[in-house]
Amino acid sequence: MTARVRDGLRHEVLDANLSIPQAGLATLTWGNVSGVDREAGVFVVKPSGIPYEDLALDDLVTVRLSDGEVVDGDLRPSTDTETHRCLYLAFPSIGGVTHTHSTHAVTFAQARRDIPVLGTTHADTFNGPVPCTPDLTADQCKKEYEYNTGRVIVDVLAGDDQKAAEVPAALVANHGPFTWGTTARKSLEHAIICEAVADMALHTLALSPTAPPPPHLLARHYTRKHGPDAYYGNPAPAPA
């Protein structure tokens, strides 16, 4: 099965996983990256519980996209594998998924708060607030918890693939951030940016708890980078 995975995918997924601690996004083994090969109908993901310093190419696990069955690899895939699979099935534009427990993004998740758009650094990547999901229900936690974690992310984005492409991150309430992108490496970059803007937002809100977004500036900034029809977030406030 390994031969069926597109050239370079396993190396890309390994490199992205090894970059998690290098970017300061992980404590112990908290975090994982996957990458999908849609033509082969599989994705490659980090195994569960392997320290980053010990992670090697042969440790990666290949999982079937349709049903979550392991088709290549001797180790148990990440406990978050079903969340990754749910996101791949819901959003065709996604090529990679990253999950971390980075400190500042988790702080917003534990407070059950979106990361607001407060400046152009955020708007460069996220066309609107990074949303936080509602709490999972008791039933969702009891059965298929990991897959249901993906479902609440899909729901908070209204199952909209375009919106997922424009806001490539979400916070799971009381858990942490999941980010995605067209490749595994891009999903990691979005995790790094998500943590950075969460840190900036916390400092901004500490100085000014009512700091508003500058909607006209952000609209101009995002559309200048992504095109005139891209902007949907942070509508201008009504006149006083």
Side-chain angles (χ1 to χ4, degrees):
M1 171 58 68
T2 303
R4 291 185 55 205
V5 176
R6 64 177 171 81
D7 290 346
L9 180 61
R10 292 175 65 83
H11 287 279
E12 180 188 337
V13 170
L14 176 65
D15 289 345
N17 274 288
L18 294 177
S19 295
I20 289 178
Q22 294 170 5
L25 300 180
T27 302
L28 299 176
T29 61
W30 303 350
N32 43 76
V33 183
S34 70
V36 68
D37 183 337
R38 293 189 181 275
E39 185 175 346
V42 298
F43 63 101
V44 177
V45 66
K46 178 183 179 289
S48 178
I50 301 297
Y52 290 101
E53 61 268 24
D54 297 334
L55 187 63
L57 194 65
D58 289 343
D59 296 327
L60 298 178
V61 184
T62 303
V63 177
R64 192 156 52 217
L65 189 57
S66 61
D67 59 11
E69 289 296 312
V70 172
V71 295
D72 186 49
D74 299 323
L75 300 174
R76 185 166 60 92
S78 165
T79 55
D80 299 299
T81 295
E82 280 294 278
T83 306
H84 291 233
R85 188 170 75 90
C86 181
L87 295 175
Y88 286 131
L89 291 174
F91 300 125
S93 65
I94 291 178
V97 175
T98 296
H99 172 52
T100 74
H101 288 254
S102 59
T103 301
H104 299 96
V106 168
T107 300
F108 274 93
Q110 292 182 165
R112 301 186 185 90
R113 289 190 59 176
D114 299 353
I115 303 173
V117 188
L118 296 173
T120 58
T121 307
H122 183 125
D124 275 344
T125 300
F126 304 115
N127 185 17
V130 175
C132 186
T133 72
D135 292 331
L136 275 73
T137 66
D139 286 343
Q140 286 175 320
C141 290
K142 187 182 301 182
K143 184 179 180 182
E144 297 184 340
Y145 166 73
E146 286 79 14
Y147 195 83
N148 286 328
T149 297
R151 286 303 317 166
V152 295
I153 296 173
V154 174
D155 290 346
V156 82
L157 294 168
D160 186 337
D161 189 51
Q162 180 63 29
K163 189 169 183 178
E166 294 190 358
V167 183
L171 309 176
V172 177
N174 300 303
H175 186 171
F178 284 82
T179 61
W180 47 86
T182 54
T183 64
R185 182 71 201 183
K186 201 67 179 177
S187 75
L188 173 68
E189 290 178 11
H190 291 157
I192 294 169
I193 296 167
C194 182
E195 174 62 11
V197 298
D199 186 4
M200 293 175 192
L202 280 170
H203 282 84
T204 301
L205 294 172
L207 287 171
S208 177
T210 59
H216 300 297
L217 172 64
L218 296 185
R220 179 177 181 276
H221 201 72
Y222 192 88
T223 54
R224 184 174 57 190
K225 182 173 181 180
H226 299 282
D229 299 321
Y231 187 79
Y232 74 82
N234 292 299

